[in-house]
Amino acid sequence: MNTAFLSLGTNMGDREGNLREALRLLTKTDHLHVKKMSSIYETAPVGYLDQGSFLNCVVQVECEQSADELLEICMQVEQTLGRVRDIRWGPRCIDLDILLFNHDNIESEKLIIPHPRMHERGFVLVPLVEIDPQGVHPVLQRSLQDLVKQQREGIQLWKQVESVEEFVHFGN
Ligand SMILES: Nc1ncnc2c1ncn2[C@@H]1O[C@H](COP(=O)(O)OP(=O)(O)OP(=O)(O)O)[C@@H](O)[C@H]1O
Ligand SMILES: Nc1nc2c(c(=O)[nH]1)N=C(CO)CN2
């Protein structure tokens, strides 16, 4: 069994509905269990600034799939929600990134884990540290608590979430 952390982000259309739908699809996936979900944060755009604010969250999953298979699942969810690749770092109805996969360090053509920009992104670190407060970045060998310092600017708590099931099925 593998443990992975996924980041979800959206800044187009019904942002909360996009998160709910993406998580509904993930929770329906065989041999994959969403163990924890962070709160949802509203975050200022990073990279390409001329776009609306994002909703971001992080989930912890346990799965039998390999990292490559998990990437396929994430891309399938993005496609189902109708993501169109356009501007780099630009607006998107849903983006799913694999942040961590066990403590593995993977560098292939299509997959880099830990996610190469996670340690400098408040919109990733704030929700991640919420559900993995004792976590350590396996390559930098620095605690997530340490990395998140000075990365909280532009990150606002938007909705507290009790559990992924409640969020997906009852709209929390
Ligand atoms: N850890 C990872 N998680 C998800 N995709 C990854 C990862 N590492 C590499 N990739 C590759 O990145 C490609 C492009 O991803 P995407 O278009 O979502 O990038 P982005 O979200 O715009 O930017 P960023 O990578 O900075 O978040 C994917 O097709 C995938 O092959
Ligand atoms: N606040 C925020 N900014 C972003 C995000 C995101 O999810 N949240 N995703 C990006 C591309 O991965 C680029 N910029």
Side-chain angles (χ1 to χ4, degrees), residues 83 85 89 92 95 97-98 110 112 115 117 121:
R83 173 161 168 202
R85 278 167 205 281
W89 295 324
R92 66 252 343 259
D95 181 29
D97 288 333
I98 306 175
K110 57 180 179 180
I112 304 177
H115 189 285
R117 288 166 286 284
R121 289 176 161 178

Side-chain angles (χ1 to χ4, degrees), residues 6 12 16-17 24 26 51 85 93 101 103 122 127 144 155 171:
L6 309 180
M12 278 174 73
E16 185 178 3
R24 191 184 68 76
L26 272 182
Q51 58 180 330
R85 278 167 205 281
C93 64
F101 192 85
H103 288 98
L144 300 176
I155 316 292

Side-chain angles (χ1 to χ4, degrees), residues 94-106:
I94 198 73
D95 181 29
L96 276 87
D97 288 333
I98 306 175
L99 304 174
L100 300 168
F101 192 85
N102 301 324
H103 288 98
D104 297 0
N105 184 13
I106 301 170

Side-chain angles (χ1 to χ4, degrees), residues 35 77 82 86 96 112-113 118-119 129 156 169:
K35 295 272 289 182
V77 170
D86 194 352
L96 276 87
I112 304 177
I113 290 175
M118 65 172 278
H119 58 282
V129 85
Q156 306 286 337
H169 298 296

